[in-house]
Amino acid sequence: QIQGQVKIDPVSRLLYSTDASIYQIEPLGVAFPKSAEDLQAIVQFAAKNQIPLLPRGAGSSLAGQAVGRALVLDCSRYLDKISLNPEDKTARVEPGVVFADLNARANKHGLQFGPDPASGERATIGGMIGNNATGAHSIRHGMTGDHLLQMDVFLADGTAAAFEPVSLNQAWVKAEGKDLEAMLYQRALQIREQYADAIKQRWPRTWRNVSGYALNYLLPWSASSPPAWEHGIYPSIKPGEINLAPLMAGSEGTLALFSSATLRLVETPKHKVLLVLAFDSLIAAVTAAPDLLEHGPSAIELVPRAIIDRARRVPAYASRIDFLEGSPEALLLVEFAGDDPARLAAQAKSIGTAGLLLENPQQQEHLWEVRKVGLGLLMSVAGDAKPIPFVEDVAVPVDHLAEFVGEFQRILTDHDTQGDFYAHASAGCLHIRPWVNLKSRDGIEMMKSIAGELVSQAIKHEGTISGEHGNGIARSGWLEQIYGAELLGAFGMLKQAADPHHLLNPGKVIDPPPMEANLRLGEDYQTTVWPSLMDFSDQEGIAGAIEMCNGAGVCRKMDPGMCPTFQATRDEMHATRGRANLLRAMISGRHPDDLQAEEAVFEALGLCLACKACKAECPSGVDMARLKYAFLDQYYRGKARPLRDYLFGYIGELARIARIFRVIINPLLSSGVGKIFLAALGISKERYFPEIAGARQAPQADAGEAVVLISDPYTEYFTPELELHARHVLTRAGCRVIKLKQIGTGRTKLSKGMLNPAKREAAKLLRELKRIDPEGNIPVVGIEPSEVATLTDDLLSLVPGDVYVEALSGRAYSIEEYLLRNGERGEPRCEGLEISPHPTAILIHGHCYQKAQRPADDGLPSGVDASVALFESLGCSVEVIDSGCCGMAGAFGYETVHYETSMLVGELALFPAVREKREEQVLVAPGASCRTQIEGGTGEEALHPVTLLNQLMTGE
């Protein structure tokens, strides 16, 4: 009946059994509607057959509202159409539209959607409406429901309705009849007339409230309003009118399913400044918030030291905050936005408190990026006790905030635990994460006790149990305590009118299960893991490494980086979260069949590029590449590997032999017979297999600063001219180059999960290094980024606890990094190159491992930044392509089964950027795989940095 898909297999059900909460419930299946007609057909079918439905966007919900025993409707894959009307400042959107995509389109017209949740890079508008989401700028723009003008919906029986502003007279007309739309209008009007006094008496005094149903929108009335609200009356519903669309906000899909919505857009401020204030305690920081509001900021965010400290351990975020000094207990980020930068700076300076004033937009954005991944960063701890979400967005009036924080700290002390939190301090909304071990009965009881006490404190301080993240399973059970029996009855009356058979996301808001039911990691949770040669002790074992994934879904974002195969396929299985979910199901026995569980993980990891973007960008530190290596090693014990695995894993050994017969082998491989042979091995016919090159002798310098040059199989046997260029450059820089006899670090075997052979190869490398440099003082330089990354990262897990390896990881560099650092003469080695400035324009695509590496301890540029800094120091203009992994990923893109995905990944950002390259730009890519992928996808040739350096030195 639909154009989309329905999946009811065990793997699909497991993939959609979790969200970002502490809960896990296996759904009945997953449907992917392609159109509004599909959506209506599904609702009608479900109504006829009494099948519960659960609408879902990115699955980043924190209270369990996106999991349930129902048919999940994943609207994020296809229902993502946007229609802008800049003149009216409105946008028409489908539920699967990602917030960041909407704003990217709106920003071109100087507009934006005001509510901005921290998860906006992957959160869908459907999810935002379901949660009535908001974010850091809520004091100016309120909640999602405050900008929800109209909705086209399907009611529980599949009939269509349109919710928009109507007069009370029109509403009474709509209430005549017996259909669901009439019943809904009847109950809405009844609540407006009969429950107005109760609403005004029992409603939390904070406008930042998403607990229960938004009955106050029916009056319309609010106990308070956002202090910087700039859109007229609040709520922005005219007296004498009623609009059921805002009532849907925060209803979590329990009242109706929407197919499209009209949103109000607001103007984007032309300028912003950010004042960073440091405090020696959390209490001192939140105490300052009410007075700071008097200065007219657009946001005040509390960032605790825990977030900054953990951000400094995650490569992608450490580089974002390198301008911050020290480790104060708390920071307040006070933003001012408007059209006059001088006025904004004056506003910030009027506070009169010493702080760091950021006027640079990039620095501001980097700090906001760290703040937005705060939840994930707080979760980036190994072990059974974790800072978990269950009452983590209590909101109180801002002048109660300091007292409430003090009470919260007392509650934690009384329960002999600790907690992390940060806050939308301007709105009085706290994100609270008590540390609890949910694998024990004591931990579960502690969770319930802490929740009960926090609810009591929220009520005492005239606040609410949820100021942003909704009801779900975790908080629906507390609604009666907050609102009383009378208003809870009104909630039930509204639900009964809209969904008489309770088929729409059952168990949320109304009739929820106990908060301790359906835990993902409950007291019965057990794991069985395999022994691995890869060390996972930094995450307390393989199980701990898998459990680092909390489901927040940052891997579903669509901008360059993590996770490239999800971006290419839009398939949950191929997001880092999906892979982690399947791994956890396998080790915990969640899958009904152990063999099928292993095969599901194998399929999911088959498209993992091992690009390490997750290690660099996942705020919780999920390292899927390392898990892939360990899994493949175990998977193939007792199984036959594909022959192509041996071809690529042992490419160095095979190429060394083939070099002897290259005059025969090269023509053979390029012939029809050779192509048939390669195809039989599983090599794509679309790929050109490189020719084996002859050996090249390089001149040896007898004097200078010693440096070890490591070679890799691809450079040694296919592009040996790169080694000549590297030697030439290093010699010109005053170095005496020592070439290792050992070719490779074990990288090619490691990437195929051949851990024993990889470990043996690494041992050979280490023996030769120790022979040459027993004290471990000589720098090691590599040509291929993946080989350097093996030394700086992978060997620490493959050869754990080895002091020599640990020291080696700190003195291994790419050539660009090495040349930027001071030599024996106390000046950067690149100054010895004696290159006259060249007006060369360079376009660089960085290797994914370079993008994933941590900032250097010495504070000097590393990774792609080193390439940029080096060439800029030589007088070149440099532009970096904003892309993630190229899609080639070593052997991955050569393999027939992966070729299509490889090219899809390339088309995400890299290929379009190369095609748009200016004619005068020289294309540079340090990775061999990247250069191959660029040529295969665009026909353009990219140079290795050492080749370009060599050309600059020789004047070519």
Side-chain angles (χ1 to χ4, degrees):
Q1 295 182 25
I2 66 170
Q3 291 182 315
Q5 302 89 38
V6 178
K7 297 184 177 182
I8 59 171
D9 60 280
V11 170
S12 296
R13 298 201 306 271
L14 279 168
L15 287 167
Y16 285 82
S17 65
T18 62
D19 53 9
S21 71
I22 58 177
Y23 299 105
Q24 181 159 8
I25 303 175
E26 189 172 300
L28 302 175
V30 189
F32 303 89
K34 278 192 171 182
S35 63
E37 290 75 19
D38 271 9
L39 195 58
Q40 184 173 27
I42 292 169
V43 179
Q44 290 173 339
F45 183 87
K48 179 180 178 181
N49 294 281
Q50 295 293 286
I51 299 170
L53 295 175
L54 195 167
R56 170 168 163 144
S60 57
S61 304
L62 290 159
Q65 55 267 60
V67 296
R69 191 68 176 160
L71 176 64
V72 171
L73 304 181
D74 185 344
C75 300
S76 68
R77 184 174 294 185
Y78 301 119
L79 298 180
D80 57 358
K81 296 182 181 62
I82 301 171
S83 176
L84 290 180
N85 189 332
E87 291 75 23
D88 290 345
K89 297 182 181 178
T90 61
R92 188 80 175 162
V93 297
E94 292 184 326
V97 168
V98 174
F99 167 82
D101 294 341
L102 170 61
N103 266 8
R105 291 270 299 274
N107 287 165
K108 296 176 181 178
H109 303 278
L111 301 171
Q112 64 179 359
F113 186 56
D116 56 342
S119 59
E121 62 188 358
R122 74 266 190 200
T124 64
I125 298 298
M128 290 176 62
I129 291 174
N131 271 13
N132 199 10
T134 186
H137 298 89
S138 62
I139 57 169
R140 173 171 282 191
H141 300 304
M143 319 285 285
T144 294
D146 295 323
H147 302 272
L148 188 52
L149 304 179
Q150 188 271 350
M151 296 178 72
D152 287 336
V153 304
F154 297 117
L155 302 177
D157 61 357
T159 57
F163 294 155
E164 58 193 1
V166 296
S167 68
L168 290 177
N169 288 336
Q170 290 173 306
W172 282 111
V173 172
K174 286 179 174 289
E176 296 175 359
K178 298 295 184 181
D179 60 16
L180 288 186
E181 182 179 10
M183 295 299 296
L184 193 51
Y185 271 100
Q186 288 174 25
R187 293 297 175 260
L189 290 165
Q190 181 182 356
I191 290 168
R192 178 185 171 96
E193 290 191 346
Q194 297 179 11
Y195 291 84
D197 290 342
I199 290 171
K200 292 179 180 179
Q201 290 171 8
R202 292 301 301 258
W203 217 254
R205 299 296 100 179
T206 172
W207 53 271
R208 181 99 181 220
N209 175 38
V210 295
S211 296
Y213 293 130
L215 303 184
N216 62 306
Y217 282 98
L218 296 175
L219 301 185
W221 168 88
S222 177
S224 58
S225 63
W229 179 255
E230 52 185 34
H231 310 292
I233 58 174
Y234 186 84
S236 54
I237 301 171
K238 295 177 183 178
E241 288 188 344
I242 192 169
N243 186 357
L244 298 189
L247 182 65
M248 298 299 108
S251 66
E252 301 178 357
T254 62
L255 300 178
L257 305 181
F258 89 93
S259 59
S260 63
T262 301
L263 308 175
R264 173 173 54 208
L265 302 178
V266 300
E267 292 185 5
T268 304
K270 291 184 174 63
H271 300 282
K272 297 177 182 178
V273 300
L274 191 63
L275 181 65
V276 183
L277 302 177
F279 295 86
D280 57 11
S281 73
L282 293 168
I283 294 290
V286 294
T287 299
D291 289 338
L292 290 171
L293 280 172
E294 300 299 319
H295 295 267
S298 53
I300 306 175
E301 294 291 292
L302 171 70
V303 180
R305 186 175 74 177
I307 286 180
I308 299 301
D309 287 348
R310 289 172 197 167
R312 285 170 171 161
R313 298 199 292 265
V314 180
Y317 304 112
S319 60
R320 301 272 194 282
I321 55 172
D322 53 7
F323 57 86
L324 290 180
E325 296 181 358
S327 297
E329 284 299 314
L331 298 176
L332 282 184
L333 313 184
V334 187
E335 183 193 82
F336 297 90
D339 295 338
D340 184 350
R343 181 175 177 274
L344 300 178
Q347 277 182 280
K349 292 172 183 176
S350 71
I351 291 174
T353 303
L356 175 63
L357 183 62
L358 301 179
E359 298 182 78
N360 182 303
Q362 186 178 54
Q363 287 184 324
Q364 294 178 42
E365 181 59 29
H366 284 175
L367 193 49
W368 277 120
E369 286 176 13
V370 171
R371 154 61 191 85
K372 288 176 180 178
V373 295
L375 289 176
L377 290 169
L378 292 180
M379 288 292 287
S380 62
V381 293
D384 291 339
K386 293 183 183 292
I388 60 172
F390 58 96
V391 284
E392 59 86 48
D393 61 324
V394 173
V396 299
V398 68
D399 53 351
H400 290 241
L401 190 56
E403 186 177 353
F404 180 82
V405 169
E407 294 288 350
F408 162 64
Q409 292 177 326
R410 176 193 61 76
I411 291 170
L412 291 178
T413 301
D414 290 348
H415 286 84
D416 194 27
T417 189
Q418 59 182 316
D420 292 322
F421 70 87
Y422 60 94
H424 302 296
S426 55
C429 182
L430 289 173
H431 293 311
I432 306 170
R433 292 291 182 109
W435 285 49
V436 179
N437 176 14
L438 291 181
K439 295 179 182 178
S440 71
R441 170 49 53 182
D442 288 345
I444 293 170
E445 292 301 321
M446 178 193 292
M447 174 184 71
K448 292 163 59 181
S449 176
I450 291 173
E453 291 195 40
L454 280 172
V455 170
S456 297
Q457 288 299 322
I459 295 170
K460 171 186 172 183
H461 290 285
E462 302 181 309
T464 179
I465 191 62
S466 179
E468 182 172 3
H469 294 152
N471 305 282
I473 300 170
R475 293 186 274 277
S476 292
W478 302 105
L479 293 179
E480 183 171 2
Q481 192 169 337
I482 295 171
Y483 292 107
E486 183 180 11
L487 289 184
L488 190 67
F491 292 162
M493 187 171 67
L494 189 67
K495 170 70 172 177
Q496 187 66 24
D499 181 22
H501 300 292
H502 287 220
L503 294 178
L504 302 183
N505 204 1
K508 315 307 182 327
V509 185
I510 301 298
D511 299 328
M515 73 175 298
E516 70 273 20
N518 305 304
L519 294 174
R520 187 193 306 179
L521 307 177
E523 59 182 321
D524 296 329
Y525 177 84
Q526 299 289 331
T527 60
T528 302
V529 298
W530 65 95
S532 176
L533 291 175
M534 295 294 286
D535 179 53
F536 289 89
S537 59
D538 59 329
Q539 295 179 325
E540 301 201 0
I542 289 178
I546 294 168
E547 291 164 10
M548 291 299 290
C549 177
N550 57 66
V554 178
C555 45
R556 287 177 58 99
K557 67 185 180 69
M558 296 302 292
D559 55 346
M562 173 179 73
C563 176
T565 47
F566 171 76
Q567 293 176 26
T569 65
R570 303 289 286 270
D571 191 327
E572 178 73 17
M573 171 184 273
H574 299 302
T576 305
R577 178 177 69 180
R579 294 173 179 128
N581 275 336
L582 292 177
L583 278 163
R584 189 176 60 252
M586 184 183 74
I587 66 172
S588 64
R590 282 273 189 179
H591 196 290
D593 185 290
D594 290 345
L595 182 60
Q596 289 181 10
E598 186 180 55
E599 290 303 319
V601 172
F602 179 73
E603 181 183 353
L605 289 176
L607 289 195
C608 172
L609 299 173
C611 63
K612 302 194 181 187
C614 53
K615 181 176 182 178
E617 297 182 26
C618 174
S620 298
V622 175
D623 187 353
M624 194 53 63
R626 184 167 31 153
L627 286 167
K628 177 180 180 177
Y629 304 149
F631 172 80
L632 288 178
D633 182 62
Q634 171 67 17
Y635 179 83
Y636 279 116
R637 292 181 184 180
K639 293 188 183 76
R641 284 179 174 271
L643 288 177
R644 65 174 182 270
D645 280 10
Y646 295 101
L647 170 63
F648 290 113
Y650 286 88
I651 189 70
E653 292 86 341
L654 294 172
R656 183 174 66 249
I657 297 170
R659 172 177 273 176
I660 301 171
F661 307 101
R662 67 188 183 89
V663 294
I664 300 172
I665 290 177
N666 281 337
L668 183 62
L669 286 178
S670 62
S671 69
V673 174
K675 289 178 180 178
I676 292 172
F677 171 72
L678 291 173
L681 289 179
I683 309 303
S684 172
K685 66 181 187 304
E686 305 295 333
R687 294 294 186 188
Y688 170 73
F689 202 82
E691 288 191 352
I692 301 164
R696 303 213 182 172
Q697 296 299 319
Q700 181 76 34
D702 297 326
E705 181 181 359
V707 59
V708 173
L709 179 65
I710 60 168
S711 189
D712 59 277
Y714 193 85
T715 299
E716 180 71 19
Y717 300 112
F718 299 100
T719 56
E721 67 275 8
L722 292 186
E723 184 187 328
L724 295 180
H725 297 160
R727 282 177 171 272
H728 188 194
V729 168
L730 291 170
T731 301
R732 181 74 69 90
C735 298
R736 176 172 59 87
V737 180
I738 303 171
K739 165 77 181 295
L740 286 186
K741 295 178 182 177
Q742 170 67 23
I743 306 300
T745 59
R747 159 54 50 193
T748 58
K749 299 173 180 63
L750 185 63
S751 66
K752 286 296 181 182
M754 299 174 171
L755 297 191
N756 264 315
K759 194 159 185 154
R760 288 194 296 269
E761 189 167 312
K764 291 180 183 177
L765 175 79
L766 292 172
R767 283 196 298 270
E768 189 172 354
L769 278 173
K770 290 175 182 177
R771 179 184 61 79
I772 294 171
D773 180 24
E775 300 300 321
N777 296 321
I778 302 176
V780 176
V781 174
I783 298 170
E784 173 60 35
S786 61
E787 298 286 326
V788 177
T790 306
L791 300 181
T792 60
D793 182 16
D794 297 300
L795 285 191
L796 295 171
S797 298
L798 195 59
V799 190
D802 188 303
V803 176
Y804 192 89
V805 170
E806 291 173 0
L808 175 62
S809 70
R811 69 175 195 278
Y813 304 98
S814 69
I815 286 187
E816 303 98 291
E817 291 168 339
Y818 180 71
L819 292 173
L820 284 174
R821 278 146 181 83
N822 290 342
E824 292 178 343
R825 293 177 292 180
E827 59 186 23
R829 297 181 178 94
C830 59
E831 292 188 7
L833 296 180
E834 298 179 356
I835 295 176
S836 300
H838 286 66
T840 304
I842 299 173
L843 181 65
I844 292 181
H845 168 70
H847 191 282
C848 51
Y849 287 2
Q850 292 181 307
K851 298 166 187 172
Q853 72 186 73
R854 285 184 55 82
D857 292 336
D858 58 13
L860 292 174
S862 59
V864 184
D865 291 341
S867 301
V868 173
L870 176 62
F871 284 111
E872 285 184 342
S873 74
L874 300 176
C876 303
S877 64
V878 184
E879 179 185 350
V880 178
I881 296 175
D882 186 17
S883 61
C885 181
C886 70
M888 192 68 179
F892 180 90
Y894 275 104
E895 297 168 348
T896 304
V897 293
H898 298 143
Y899 174 77
E900 182 179 353
T901 302
S902 170
M903 299 306 283
L904 286 173
V905 172
E907 290 290 356
L908 291 171
L910 175 58
F911 293 168
V914 171
R915 294 184 189 115
E916 295 171 6
K917 178 181 75 72
R918 301 194 307 274
E919 185 176 353
E920 72 274 13
Q921 286 181 311
V922 177
L923 187 59
V924 170
S929 294
C930 306
R931 297 192 299 276
T932 300
Q933 178 77 327
I934 289 169
E935 185 172 7
T938 68
E940 292 280 345
E941 181 185 4
L943 303 180
H944 190 287
V946 295
T947 299
L948 181 56
L949 285 172
N950 194 64
Q951 290 178 358
L952 292 174
M953 289 190 306
T954 58
E956 295 182 15

